[in-house]
Amino acid sequence: MTATAPAAAGLSELVARALAEDVGPGDATSEAVVPAGARARARILQKQSGVLFGLDAAEETFRQAGAESFDRVVVESTWREQVPVQVALVTGPARALLAGERVALNLLGRLSGVATLTARYAEAVAGTGAKILDTRKTTPGLRALEKAAVAAGGGHNHRTGLYDAILIKENHAALAGGVGEAVRLAAERRPDLAAEVECRDLDEVREALAAGARRILLDNMSLGELRAAVAIRDEAAAGAEGATLEASGGITLEAAGEVAGTGVDFVSVGALTHSAPALDVSMLMEPA
């Protein structure tokens, strides 16, 4: 279950929509006060410690806005503690740089925020063997970019959408006739797709394992229940390779280490993409 960054065409379309939303028929302020022939240099700065990610999106934004060059000064996807630091230099018509500024910084700050929060979670579970997963709780239209940011921060991508893997949740199980029946139906009808089933208690874990589930999502379970689920899985495996277990449900950064320490294989965190604060980035311009 792995997501990748948008293809060039997809990123181009996303940026075009964002610029159309922001610039509309024209940048009224720049047209009023900035000479039409003015040229400028702009320095993009990372002002807050964290993982910078999203330079592709920023570069595409300035390209579409009419900038002439976008030079990267740092390597992204690594934690940077010493700030402020220049991360890119953009040159071209001053009006073009101003037109692209807000969209570029919005994308760069948002994606860097996702990567930074993911890095904090990954550090919290380091040494446990568990991996941090994202979810589908993404900003509409930005899923591929946000999932790429999760990967940049050291996390792992869950399914991309409803089409590339099966995840049997509470409502699916209720309509199918129970957890076990849902697992059997999925294996029978879509053997080509990886399948996972959500379990709300230990009885459902046993039912899912008996039905042949290979991956189980442990929903909103306590630490004691998570440990018990791991023991049930290990006993059912009896020395063979057992099902993988994913803990999920409002797992905070402070609790992530304890959750991972129960022996689960994955810890999924919707907050990586629905609640990550933007990283502080800015642009400073000067006449060229």
Side-chain angles (χ1 to χ4, degrees), residues 63-83:
R63 185 193 69 78
Q64 289 193 29
E68 294 172 354
S69 67
F70 184 96
D71 297 316
R72 303 174 188 220
V73 180
V74 300
V75 176
E76 61 181 8
S77 305
T78 59
W79 187 278
R80 187 165 288 100
E81 188 66 29
Q82 299 301 317
V83 291

Side-chain angles (χ1 to χ4, degrees), residues 79-106:
W79 187 278
R80 187 165 288 100
E81 188 66 29
Q82 299 301 317
V83 291
V85 62
Q86 180 175 315
V87 299
L89 178 65
V90 194
T91 61
R95 289 184 179 181
L97 272 54
L98 289 165
E101 176 183 10
R102 179 42 49 202
V103 170
L105 294 183
N106 282 352

Side-chain angles (χ1 to χ4, degrees), residues 12 115 148 182 185 187 209 230 286:
S12 177
L185 287 171
L209 289 170
V230 171
E286 61 183 20

